[in-house]
Amino acid sequence: MTSKDWRIGVAGLGTVGAGLLTFLSERPGFAPAGGRVSVTGVSARSRSRPRPFDISNLPWFDDPVALATSPDVDIFVELVGGSDGPAKAAVEAALNAGKPVVTANKALIAEHGAELAALAEAKGAPLLFEAAVMGGVPAVKMVREALVGDDIRSIAGILNGTCNFILTEMEATGRSFGDVLAEAQRLGYAEADPTMDVGGFDAAHKISILAALAFGCAPNYAAAEIEGIDQVDLLDIKLARDLGYRVKLVASADRSPDGVLVRVHPSLAPLNHPLAQAGGALNALFIEGARIGRIFVQGPGAGAGPTAAAVAADIADVMTGAVRPVFQAPASSLSPFTPVDPSKSVGRAYLRFMVKDEPGVIAAVSETLAEAGVSIESFLQKPVENTEGVPIVLTTHAVAESVLMAAVERIAGLSSVLERPRLLRIARI
Ligand code: HSE
């Protein structure tokens, strides 16, 4: 451990950047390795945008690459966001200059993590990204370091605070999707482009990173199966609840002898399950290992304070020299995992069909399911005001996804079925 003064350059002054500067001003004694810590440069898209703190005394850089390579910067903190563009250019520039990089950028790590790890390790420069996954919950460190002595089989959880906030509020208040999304943006949970959140892409970035760390492979974001919450209907949230479930956006990564399956789907969790109980912007995660059994962690996955705390923890690791390979193993030994065909996966499902309220409809639906070999677990028909037709809702026993999809397609073609069937998976947790 070396006691020296550390000069930090911060690129990106949005929610997390603002949180970090606030943290450093509130904790002037933050110096885990001794010495002093100071911010010696900042960069952002706009210099004049109103901010919760004064940046007029901090050296300003129009170009984050210039900040990353400035001789006055010892640690480069990238909080710009985005998988490519200025964020990637600045991170590469810092690593090429042999400078430690701390980033909260999940898109960058999920999509370019392997090549950046190779660069970082070739240059002997740490590349740390605790804040990229689960905000204030130390999920990256836990999986990469604390659990390296186990063989992790599966990871599943809620990794997007915005979606969790939206689903929680919709269920609790009956408010519309758009109304609650606007509130999540005001609270600083959402990405600059909220499509990343509600489309499931942000959660897919995070689970791709965790899968790489857990299974000792390079991130393979392109192999993730992704479905967001933008098509989740308030009606399904209510009907799922009537059946004893809560709708959550669940991200999962499972390892089998065939390879790895990484998926993000709106899924049902039983009301008394810890995932169903993690409300608001909370994140929650189950990790299952061969020796440890199951671990469950929960905490704030978004927002300025928690995410800045994770960035500060990485800065502390750089200062103290507590740095490991970027992923679980040296970059030269990482290869992308083999993706598993999701249609072969087996699980339970929730189905809703809007049908004409006429004789024989339930029989036609259940006959089609029976012919396909799909076994019904529970069943509900409930008139709903202001809808054309009536919803038939059911849950199935475990069935191969390809079989279920084929049956749903056949039911969609029945003349008594009024709109596209809705399918939500029941989380395997
Ligand atoms: N937009 C993200 C979320 C922020 O809602 O979880 C943290 O990555």
Side-chain angles (χ1 to χ4, degrees):
M1 187 166 99
T2 49
S3 175
K4 62 174 237 179
D5 292 344
W6 290 92
R7 300 164 305 166
I8 298 176
V10 182
L13 297 176
T15 301
V16 184
L20 180 64
L21 293 195
T22 304
F23 168 86
L24 291 173
S25 67
E26 287 172 357
R27 289 270 306 272
F30 176 73
R36 285 178 50 247
V37 176
S38 56
V39 177
T40 49
V42 293
S43 174
R45 262 192 293 273
S46 158
R47 189 173 189 176
S48 54
R49 177 183 147 186
R51 296 198 162 85
F53 53 86
D54 182 16
I55 59 165
S56 60
N57 290 330
L58 297 174
W60 174 265
F61 290 74
D62 285 326
D63 178 6
V65 171
L67 175 63
T69 52
S70 163
D72 294 330
V73 166
D74 301 314
I75 302 176
F76 178 61
V77 179
E78 185 276 303
L79 305 172
V80 175
S83 60
D84 293 272
K88 182 163 182 268
V91 166
E92 285 171 343
L95 294 176
N96 270 314
K99 285 190 194 185
V101 171
V102 172
T103 177
N105 190 335
K106 47 258 163 174
L108 179 73
I109 300 299
E111 297 186 36
H112 303 292
E115 70 197 66
L116 292 174
L119 176 60
E121 290 171 22
K123 298 288 178 181
L127 170 61
L128 297 170
F129 45 86
E130 183 58 66
V133 182
M134 293 187 83
V137 180
V140 169
K141 215 179 216 324
M142 183 170 64
V143 175
R144 180 178 53 211
E145 298 168 30
L147 296 178
V148 75
D150 201 0
D151 293 307
I152 298 178
R153 294 170 174 152
S154 70
I155 312 170
I158 297 168
L159 298 181
N160 184 270
T162 301
C163 289
N164 207 31
F165 179 77
I166 291 173
L167 292 170
T168 304
E169 287 294 305
M170 284 174 74
E171 183 195 320
T173 65
R175 284 159 70 199
S176 74
F177 174 83
D179 186 17
V180 184
L181 170 59
E183 190 181 342
Q185 289 176 294
R186 276 199 303 280
L187 291 168
Y189 302 149
E191 297 302 302
D193 171 6
T195 314
M196 296 303 290
D197 295 298
V198 299
F201 308 108
D202 177 82
H205 283 137
K206 292 168 179 168
I207 193 70
S208 301
I209 294 171
L210 288 180
L213 293 167
F215 306 143
C217 47
N220 195 355
Y221 173 71
E225 199 196 16
I226 308 170
E227 183 188 348
I229 63 162
D230 34 1
Q231 301 300 315
V232 173
D233 228 314
L234 191 56
L235 179 58
D236 292 306
I237 292 175
K238 288 179 179 161
L239 291 170
R241 207 193 146 94
D242 289 343
L243 288 168
Y245 293 97
R246 186 160 280 144
V247 181
K248 294 288 180 184
L249 186 69
V250 175
S252 62
D254 293 281
R255 181 167 62 172
S256 71
D258 297 336
V260 174
L261 179 58
V262 174
R263 347 175 68 177
V264 177
H265 289 295
S267 307
L268 269 52
L271 286 173
N272 61 1
H273 189 279
L275 280 193
Q277 311 252 326
L282 279 178
N283 280 197
L285 188 71
F286 276 97
I287 302 171
E288 191 170 329
R291 294 171 192 83
I292 52 155
R294 295 182 117 202
I295 287 180
F296 176 67
V297 287
Q298 166 183 299
T307 314
V311 172
D314 278 349
I315 292 173
D317 275 355
V318 172
M319 292 174 185
T320 57
V323 173
R324 310 268 283 246
V326 176
F327 289 95
Q328 195 199 72
S332 57
S333 65
L334 300 172
S335 56
F337 59 75
T338 311
V340 170
D341 179 358
S343 73
K344 293 194 176 132
S345 70
V346 174
R348 294 158 61 217
Y350 158 106
L351 299 170
R352 169 167 65 85
F353 306 102
M354 290 304 281
V355 299
K356 292 179 194 162
D357 198 358
E358 61 187 22
V361 180
I362 290 178
V365 169
S366 57
E367 267 166 32
T368 310
L369 290 170
E371 277 164 20
V374 180
S375 173
I376 295 171
E377 182 196 48
S378 64
F379 189 93
L380 177 71
Q381 180 181 355
K382 194 172 180 186
V384 176
E385 279 177 29
N386 304 323
T387 57
E388 195 193 344
V390 63
I392 292 177
V393 187
L394 55 91
T395 60
T396 72
H397 286 290
V399 57
E401 197 141 320
S402 54
V403 171
L404 182 67
M405 292 301 185
V408 169
E409 279 309 312
R410 292 204 2 236
I411 294 170
L414 296 175
S415 59
S416 49
V417 173
L418 297 168
E419 58 180 60
R420 286 282 319 153
R422 300 301 171 101
L423 183 156
L424 295 167
R425 290 158 185 84
I426 298 177
R428 277 185 296 145
I429 37 172

